[in-house]
């Protein structure tokens, strides 16, 4: 009996250690789009950290400290989900800012290997992203990039929480966002 | 007679060519997402070979004699061994489930592999590739370095916020001390006097007296310092700031940051060329390597590597 309890705690330790450390390999996505509008005009659309209306999936957004470093932004998505992000860097001159996801609501709960797993609205973890506008004469390029891990930190992830799910979700968000920025700027 | 002379001359020529090639310092860059290792000829400042290595290669170390490169392959739960001169994969084998940090002793006989998950360091015989010892250390051991007198192995215990000093004769921990939050990469000066540790979560570098692990100083750098290297006769310390796309330069006498050099995005591994002047930085997001001149503090080259160039460890042959 004692032996069993020991075994159970060892197994438990095994899983909690895995949940804390980064077994999976860090992933990344970089997308960019050319826009036929001057950089200043494009930057005007995205420069306010509290306004992410340019991203089609976002219903509303608010921050506690605007464009100040450390400002916390809560995005409410059109499907009701929320994403909380912290502003890590803001550079008006370089027309860029960086942020990290600190919290997300659950999109759905799935059963995997006999356990309930919460799939977050964006199936990633430890997600950090940069958004930047670069001037190219009278036109500009917007670059959006992110580094992150898949949502499932243990071994053998379910399909909803593996690398492919993470990469395709992030790519889809970036493409939709960049295309909309282009549309708004070239209007 | 003439023929013999020619053969001799050719022999000498061949010998010197081989010698030249073997003496060239190479930088071995692990491309974690690309499952490969880029070999940079530092004299030509370009990649001269790309060696496929499966298992998401991350950590790297080169033996003192410049003959071998050891690479940790976390996804394959083990390590890969490369011929550092002919740029070929010699062997690949499992070690333990969380293999990441890797280093080699000064004689080239022992390979150390830190397991972030089992909280231990595996000691592997370099001739048989057998695990001959497993040393329990702190939580989530990451970066490691061996002293030049080959007496001590230092290990950064990331989740314990500490550094351990292991006596290589007894293979036991002699001392453990608290540093900043989440220590990751570390390096030692050439006299084995000072140990420099990059603390990822507290955005600083802890300076320790290497013999007694006494804390000498904490130096603020930029966001997410990841790894460290020394140059110019130990007078300058270079620190990769992962989330700041920069390298902090620290004057080791004044023990403060004196410059910040912009490099590529998500700089991770950092190592110094044997000329003690060029500092190589692997930029994970940008898939390239920045070369910094430690004297002028300018980026003098940017060399394209593979996907997810990480190069965590001492990656240049000497």
């Amino acid at each position: 009996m004692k032996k069993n309890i020991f075994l159970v705690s060892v197994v438990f330790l095994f899983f909690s250690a895995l949940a804390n450390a980064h077994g999976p390999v860090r992933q990344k996505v970089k997308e960019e789009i050319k826009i036929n509008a001057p950089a200043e005009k494009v930057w005007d659309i995205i420069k306010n950290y509290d306004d992410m209306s340019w991203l089609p999936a976002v219903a509303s957004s608010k921050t506690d400290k605007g464009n100040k470093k450390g400002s916390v932004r809560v995005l409410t998505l059109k499907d009701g989900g929320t994403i909380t992000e912290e502003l890590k860097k803001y550079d008006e001159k370089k027309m860029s800012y960086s942020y990290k996801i600190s919290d997300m609501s659950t999109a759905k709960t799935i059963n995997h290997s006999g356990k309930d797993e919460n799939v977050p609205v964006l199936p990633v973890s430890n997600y950090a992203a940069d958004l930047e506008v670069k001037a190219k004469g009278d036109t500009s390029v917007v670059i959006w990039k992110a580094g992150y891990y898949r949502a499932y930190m243990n071994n053998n992830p379910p399909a909803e929480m593996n690398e492919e799910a993470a990469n395709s979700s992030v790519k889809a968000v970036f493409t939709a966002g960049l295309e909309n920025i282009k549309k708004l700027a070239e209007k | 007679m003439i023929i013999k002379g020619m053969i001799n001359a050719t022999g000498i020529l061949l010998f010197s060519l081989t010698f030249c090639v073997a003496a060239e310092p190479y930088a071995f860059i692990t491309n974690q997402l690309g499952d490969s290792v880029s070999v940079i000829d530092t004299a030509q400042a370009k990649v001269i070979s790309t060696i496929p290595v499966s298992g998401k290669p991350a950590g790297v170390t080169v033996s003192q004699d410049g003959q071998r490169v050891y690479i940790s392959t976390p996804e394959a739960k083990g390590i890969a061994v490369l011929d550092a001169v002919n740029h070929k994969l010699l062997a690949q084998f499992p070690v333990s489930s969380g293999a990441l940090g890797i280093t080699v002793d000064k004689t080239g006989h022992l390979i150390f592999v830190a397991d972030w998950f089992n909280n231990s360091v595996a000691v592997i015989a370099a001739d048989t590739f057998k695990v001959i010892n497993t040393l329990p250390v702190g939580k989530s051991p990451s970066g490691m370095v061996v002293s030049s007198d080959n007496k001590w192995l230092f290990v950064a215990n990331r989740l314990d916020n500490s550094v351990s000093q292991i006596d290589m004769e007894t293979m036991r921990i002699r001392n453990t001390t608290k540093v900043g939050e989440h220590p990751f990469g570390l390096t030692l000066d050439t006299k084995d006097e000072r140990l420099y540790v990059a603390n990822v979560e507290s955005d600083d570098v802890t300076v320790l007296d290497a013999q007694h692990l006494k804390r000498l100083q904490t130096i603020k750098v930029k966001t997410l310092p990841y790894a460290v290297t020394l140059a110019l006769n130990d007078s300058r310390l270079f620190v990769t700031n992962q989330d700041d796309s920069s390298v902090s330069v620290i004057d080791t006498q004044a023990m403060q940051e004196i410059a910040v050099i912009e490099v590529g995005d998500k700089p991770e591994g950092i190592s110094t060329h044997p000329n003690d002047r060029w500092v190589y930085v692997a930029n994970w997001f940008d898939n390239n390597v920045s070369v910094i001149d430690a004297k002028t503090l300018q980026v003098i080259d940017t060399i394209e590597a593979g996907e997810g160039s990480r190069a965590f460890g001492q990656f240049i042959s000497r």
Side-chain angles (χ1 to χ4, degrees):
Chain A
M1 188 61 199
K2 245 188 180 162
K3 209 175 184 180
N4 274 342
I5 289 169
F6 177 68
L7 241 175
V8 167
S9 44
V10 165
V11 168
F12 177 75
L13 274 174
F14 181 88
F15 280 108
S16 45
L18 262 179
N20 284 330
H22 299 304
V25 173
R26 199 176 187 196
Q27 305 291 308
K28 59 180 168 182
V29 161
K30 179 180 180 178
E31 296 288 330
E32 52 182 76
I33 198 161
K34 277 187 201 147
I35 297 179
N36 288 317
E40 291 71 28
K41 187 180 176 190
V42 177
W43 177 236
D44 257 358
I45 297 168
I46 59 169
K47 73 175 180 188
N48 290 318
Y49 186 58
D50 61 4
D51 177 12
M52 215 184 193
S53 58
W54 51 268
L55 186 66
V58 171
S60 68
S61 53
K62 61 173 190 323
T63 58
D64 62 347
K65 291 199 284 288
N67 291 342
K68 279 211 182 92
K69 190 180 167 180
S71 180
V72 174
R73 170 168 80 183
V74 180
L75 303 175
T76 304
L77 308 176
K78 284 182 180 153
D79 63 10
T82 58
I83 299 177
T84 309
E85 297 166 325
E86 188 188 334
L87 187 62
K88 302 302 276 189
K89 224 178 355 183
Y90 190 89
D91 195 329
E92 174 89 50
K93 243 201 227 149
K94 281 188 180 166
M95 297 188 277
S96 77
Y97 63 86
S98 310
Y99 59 94
K100 274 187 175 174
I101 293 180
S102 52
D103 198 22
M104 276 188 280
S105 63
T106 298
K108 59 179 168 179
T109 303
I110 56 164
N111 194 277
H112 178 67
S113 313
K115 257 182 81 185
D116 278 346
E117 294 292 343
N118 292 331
V119 184
V121 288
L122 192 64
V124 295
S125 60
N126 257 311
Y127 172 101
D130 306 307
L131 193 58
E132 183 186 9
V133 184
K134 272 192 176 159
K136 300 268 172 194
D138 288 343
T139 68
S140 50
V141 174
V142 182
I143 304 157
W144 199 359
K145 52 188 186 179
Y148 50 86
Y149 292 85
R150 71 182 184 218
Y152 194 76
M153 295 309 282
N154 295 345
N155 287 328
N156 309 316
E160 294 89 339
M161 299 169 85
N162 65 12
E163 270 86 10
E164 289 72 35
N167 293 341
S168 61
S169 304
V170 174
K171 254 182 214 157
V173 170
F174 281 17
T175 310
L178 292 174
E179 276 171 4
N180 199 43
I181 295 169
K182 184 179 170 76
K183 213 168 85 188
L184 295 168
E186 290 180 354
K187 238 200 277 200
Chain B
M1 189 65 189
I2 292 170
I3 290 172
K4 204 175 174 190
M6 270 176 68
I7 290 171
N8 273 345
T10 320
I12 289 163
L13 187 68
L14 271 177
F15 173 78
S16 28
L17 272 178
T18 323
F19 182 75
C20 268
V21 170
E24 215 73 84
Y26 298 114
F28 297 90
I29 307 297
T30 54
N31 304 309
Q32 194 167 21
L33 293 169
D35 275 325
S36 68
V37 172
S38 297
V39 184
I40 294 171
D41 178 341
T42 57
Q44 297 180 58
K46 66 171 194 190
V47 173
I48 54 161
S49 174
T50 302
I51 309 166
V53 177
S54 59
K56 301 286 177 278
V60 53
T61 190
V62 186
S63 66
Q64 190 86 346
D65 63 7
Q67 296 297 306
R68 278 187 179 178
V69 189
Y70 301 103
I71 306 276
S72 67
T73 52
E75 205 175 70
K77 302 172 170 47
I79 71 169
V81 184
L82 310 184
D83 179 330
V85 181
N86 300 307
H87 310 147
K88 287 197 165 59
L89 180 68
L90 295 175
Q92 190 163 11
F93 53 92
V95 176
S96 63
S97 50
L100 178 62
I102 189 162
T103 194
V104 60
D105 83 333
K106 299 298 169 188
T107 68
H109 289 121
L110 303 174
I111 311 157
F112 299 98
V113 180
D115 188 308
W116 53 262
F117 163 62
N118 288 317
N119 305 330
S120 63
V121 172
V123 186
I124 299 161
D127 51 354
T128 61
F129 299 149
K130 292 247 163 27
V131 176
I132 54 171
N133 209 338
T134 302
L135 319 174
V137 291
K139 270 189 218 140
S140 203
S142 305
M144 289 185 295
V145 65
V146 171
S147 61
S148 30
D149 63 11
N150 213 38
K151 280 186 178 160
W152 314 109
L153 168 70
F154 296 93
V155 185
N157 304 304
R158 186 170 63 97
L159 295 180
D160 266 351
N161 302 329
S162 71
V163 168
S164 291
Q165 177 185 30
I166 292 164
D167 183 331
M168 284 175 46
E169 205 174 320
T170 62
M171 288 295 174
R172 280 170 200 278
I173 292 177
R174 181 218 204 191
N175 204 346
T176 296
T177 200
K178 287 278 171 198
V179 291
E181 288 167 50
H182 291 200
F184 200 70
L186 75 181
T187 195
L188 195 59
D189 69 2
T190 45
K191 293 182 196 147
D192 293 340
E193 283 173 358
R194 277 192 191 170
L195 189 63
Y196 299 90
V197 190
N199 304 305
V200 178
E201 291 291 326
S202 49
D203 297 342
D204 51 25
V205 169
T206 305
V207 188
L208 297 172
D209 161 65
Q211 294 300 315
H212 305 100
L213 290 196
K214 202 179 138 226
R215 277 185 302 276
L216 300 175
Q217 188 76 266
T218 302
I219 305 163
K220 268 281 163 208
V221 288
K222 297 293 174 275
T223 336
L224 298 201
Y226 189 85
V228 283
T229 195
L230 285 156
L232 302 183
N233 216 1
D234 296 335
S235 69
R236 296 287 182 269
L237 181 78
F238 293 80
V239 189
T240 46
N241 300 306
Q242 206 188 19
D243 257 15
D244 193 53
S245 307
S246 71
V247 167
S248 287
V249 186
I250 288 165
D251 176 333
T252 56
Q253 190 102 48
M255 293 218 250
Q256 60 187 27
E257 187 184 73
I258 54 161
V260 179
I261 303 167
E262 209 172 293
V263 292
D265 197 17
K266 300 282 179 286
E268 299 203 344
I270 186 163
S271 275
T272 306
H273 190 279
N275 69 11
D276 202 31
R277 179 167 172 176
W278 296 344
V279 173
Y280 292 70
V281 181
N283 303 305
W284 176 83
F285 205 104
D286 287 352
N287 310 327
N288 60 21
V289 174
S290 305
V291 186
I292 295 168
D293 181 338
K295 261 192 192 148
T296 63
L297 303 184
Q298 301 292 316
V299 173
I300 53 170
D301 259 313
T302 302
I303 305 162
E304 291 306 312
E307 269 292 310
S309 44
R310 194 166 176 199
F312 177 51
Q314 297 103 33
F315 56 78
I316 304 181
S317 60
R318 13 198 93 227

